[in-house]
């Protein structure tokens, strides 16, 4: 199988023009098939505020009402996505900007109302990703760039977490490609000591993961991230790497980029 | 050669939800390869007003300053494009929403400043359209949906007239497909008597066009539209049809839809 990188960047990269440009240049230099998934950033929040749309939170969870969905469709699907595509084209990457509605590539289900109505939020399942459709774009020479939007197949766009999209893409594509999922964030990776960027843990397998949890080194916010990563690996993803967006250039010699999670 | 329809709709269709849905259903029912090009609509103007961005006109011509470019990138490239795509998917058309930046499919040049600085407006030339890239999407089973945005290949998105994009696409694609360009608007086609919708002229060739101009039946606003249409035909487009967006369902028996311009 040919190899495929699926790389997710979040708002912290998007909001910093210098970081974003360096990242996009490094992304372009990566050899082989690749897919970029990007989250939002401050622009959506700023636009909502300017338009007088109040952020709706229920039990601390953000609600996507119809006005907020319009804003994220404009900002994620339009402004951010198309500017990333234009920059990638400048650097020489044949980017094509997508939502899950495009080519019916990612179909979600509106989150059912239990105690909270999350509004226009889409959840993914095992059949959400159209791997053959995405593969046909890769084989035709395009580099897909996904914003965090999906659709329900019945005409409704939905807001879907970018981490979740990246993970679902990786699992689905691992049937066709030897797939590595990369989460870029603002740390070098999983740190032995959170205050010491030099204490990077290079490799974690499930046994080591259990040890690190038992020792209290991995806890709270990192737990769901790593649980999801190991779950993706169980479902066929070759490795999940967590590293700093500014260091992506080190990926071509894999030994020196981030923390690598694998079996 | 296989046949290809390139169909352009404007703001009048987009702003009317009922018209738009009927049009998208009819578009889906059209057999064979097809491309949709859409313009803007009132939403961009409304959003600009809400954001306090003044419409800048110089000598009656609209200027695309950086703030306006952001708005049209959000509205054309995001909100309108992705909602059209989601609706087309609902009806069963495998739509993929694009700007000219995506896949480097339409590259423009920022309009040079002579007497007026139009801002971030892109002009097209003979080499603007990447016909092979678009063909690879069609052959992979996608139906391209273009918003009126292009890029300069150097990272800059540009605002480009949707009629111009449709015409440039038709000329470029006519080397690979037997291409028919269709402009949908709010009239049944070219009318013998502008006040009588039943006075539709079915067919116009260059000789008849000269007669109609000489007789004063085609004048003012229609002249540049038809001049451009006959120019596209000179460059290889098989026919240009001008008709009412609500009548697209009549296109499958071509005799009854709009005014057909051809050699």
């Amino acid at each position: 199988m040919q190899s495929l990188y699926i790389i997710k960047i979040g708002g912290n990269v998007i909001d910093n023009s210098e970081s974003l440009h360096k990242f996009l240049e490094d992304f372009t230099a990566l050899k082989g098939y690749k897919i970029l998934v990007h989250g939002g950033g401050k622009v959506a929040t700023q636009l909502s505020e300017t338009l007088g749309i109040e952020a709706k939170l229920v039990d601390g969870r953000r609600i996507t009402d119809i006005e907020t969905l319009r804003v994220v469709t404009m900002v994620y699907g339009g402004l951010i996505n198309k500017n990333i595509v234009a920059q990638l084209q400048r650097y020489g990457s044949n980017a094509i900007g997508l939502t899950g509605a495009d080519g019916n590539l990612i179909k979600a289900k509106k989150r059912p109302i239990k105690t909270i109505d999350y509004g226009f939020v889409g959840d993914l399942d095992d059949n959400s990703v159209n791997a053959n459709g995405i593969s046909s774009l890769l084989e035709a020479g395009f580099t897909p760039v996904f914003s965090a939007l999906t659709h329900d197949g019945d005409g409704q766009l939905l807001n879907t977490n970018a981490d979740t999209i990246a993970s679902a893409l990786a699992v689905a594509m691992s049937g066709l490609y030897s797939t590595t999922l990369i989460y870029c964030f603002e740390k070098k990776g999983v740190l032995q000591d959170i205050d010491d960027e030099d204490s990077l843990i290079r490799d974690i397998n499930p046994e080591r993961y259990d040890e690190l949890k038992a020792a209290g080194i991995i806890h709270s916010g990192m737990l769901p991230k790593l649980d999801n990563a190991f779950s993706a690996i169980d479902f066929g993803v070759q490795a999940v790497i967590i590293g700093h967006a500014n260091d992506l250039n080190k990926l071509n010699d894999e030994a020196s980029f981030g923390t690598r999670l694998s079996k």
Side-chain angles (χ1 to χ4, degrees), chain A:
Chain A
M1 281 202 274
Q2 289 192 277
S3 68
L4 168 67
Y5 286 120
I6 296 176
I7 305 182
K8 188 257 168 178
I9 53 170
N12 57 311
V13 185
I14 291 164
D15 289 335
N16 180 324
S17 170
E18 203 179 319
S19 281
L20 180 60
H21 283 256
K22 174 168 172 20
F23 170 83
L24 295 176
E25 221 174 331
D26 293 344
F27 177 82
T28 300
L30 270 184
K31 289 177 182 51
Y33 291 122
K34 53 204 174 186
I35 295 172
L36 180 60
V37 181
H38 64 83
K42 287 181 197 156
V43 185
T45 315
Q46 286 165 349
L47 182 62
S48 289
E49 282 172 9
T50 310
L51 295 176
I53 302 166
E54 274 178 54
K56 290 194 186 62
L57 298 161
V58 175
D59 290 351
R61 308 295 296 265
R62 180 180 285 274
I63 307 301
T64 305
D65 61 6
I66 191 72
E67 289 302 316
T68 303
L69 181 69
R70 282 170 62 94
V71 167
V72 297
T73 304
M74 291 195 287
V75 174
Y76 300 175
L79 192 65
I80 294 175
N81 188 263
K82 298 311 176 186
N83 275 294
I84 286 177
V85 166
Q87 292 304 327
L88 284 174
Q89 287 288 346
R90 167 190 176 194
Y91 291 127
S93 185
N94 194 20
I96 187 165
L98 303 163
T99 67
D102 298 292
N104 190 30
L105 296 175
I106 312 172
K107 199 155 119 178
K109 287 197 174 69
K110 189 168 179 294
R111 187 170 297 170
I113 303 168
K114 289 173 186 165
T115 50
I116 299 177
D117 179 0
Y118 287 92
F120 296 97
V121 168
D123 289 327
L124 305 183
D125 63 28
D126 294 351
N127 301 311
S128 287
V129 175
N130 175 354
N132 289 325
I134 295 170
S135 177
S136 72
L137 290 174
L138 291 168
E139 304 299 334
F142 297 104
T143 296
V145 177
F146 281 97
S147 62
L149 293 163
T150 59
H151 77 143
D152 70 354
D154 202 32
Q156 182 63 59
L157 294 166
L158 295 166
N159 192 5
T160 297
N161 180 276
D163 281 10
T164 306
I165 286 177
S167 170
L169 285 173
V171 169
M173 298 309 288
S174 66
L176 301 172
Y177 301 87
S178 170
T179 303
T180 302
L181 170 61
I182 299 170
Y183 288 110
C184 289
F185 73 148
E186 67 281 15
K187 296 264 177 204
K188 282 191 178 173
V190 181
L191 304 176
Q192 188 91 27
D193 172 0
I194 192 133
D195 297 320
D196 179 4
E197 281 276 328
D198 292 331
S199 69
L200 180 69
I201 304 171
R202 288 262 163 238
D203 289 282
I204 306 180
N205 62 19
E207 294 72 39
R208 182 106 169 88
Y209 184 41
D210 287 338
E211 291 167 16
L212 289 165
K213 280 192 288 190
I217 289 167
I218 295 173
H219 55 87
S220 56
M222 270 320 250
L223 284 176
K225 238 184 172 57
L226 296 194
D227 282 346
N228 286 338
F230 278 109
S231 163
I233 290 164
D234 280 341
F235 283 111
V237 176
Q238 204 185 36
V240 179
I241 305 177
I242 300 178
H244 200 297
N246 292 355
D247 291 341
L248 191 71
N249 60 325
K250 295 178 183 163
L251 185 61
N252 274 329
D253 57 311
E254 288 198 12
S256 62
F257 176 73
T259 299
R260 183 186 178 86
L261 317 176
S262 59
K263 271 196 180 157

